[in-house]
Amino acid sequence: CRARGLGVACHQDHRVAARGECDEAIAAFERALALEPQDARSHFNVAYLLQRLGQHEAAIARFEQALAIDPGIDRARKALDASRAALEK
């Protein structure tokens, strides 16, 4: 997470996500995005967590947003394809 001014709190967001507390982590990344809306990594992190929750339509929108900001995030492209495939099942 690269949002300015978040320092340690941002790293805590990753630990929250690692513990499976996706809703709390999403809220934390959304707060980061309020400070730095063009942070592609935070958009990716929200999308990834939505994907883990099975919310593929929302995840797709956020993966696309991350890729619009930074087309070089290969993990976002692969995850986007996975969410699209999940919706086709």
Side-chain angles (χ1 to χ4, degrees):
C1 182
R2 296 176 294 158
R4 287 172 278 189
L6 293 183
V8 173
C10 194
H11 294 292
Q12 290 172 344
D13 298 344
H14 289 286
R15 286 196 299 271
V16 168
R19 290 194 312 258
E21 297 168 357
C22 293
D23 291 336
E24 288 180 43
I26 289 169
F29 284 117
E30 294 290 9
R31 287 190 299 274
L33 285 163
L35 296 173
E36 192 172 332
Q38 294 300 309
D39 182 5
R41 290 283 171 200
S42 288
H43 284 289
F44 169 80
N45 287 327
V46 170
Y48 172 75
L49 292 166
L50 290 168
Q51 186 181 57
R52 284 182 56 187
L53 292 170
Q55 297 177 21
H56 293 286
E57 289 181 14
I60 288 168
R62 296 307 284 265
F63 285 130
E64 289 173 342
Q65 200 168 7
L67 288 165
I69 296 166
D70 182 355
I73 304 174
D74 291 330
R75 289 177 55 200
R77 193 165 315 285
K78 291 175 186 173
L80 173 61
D81 291 343
S83 277
R84 285 179 175 156
L87 284 180
E88 291 176 3
K89 291 182 179 180

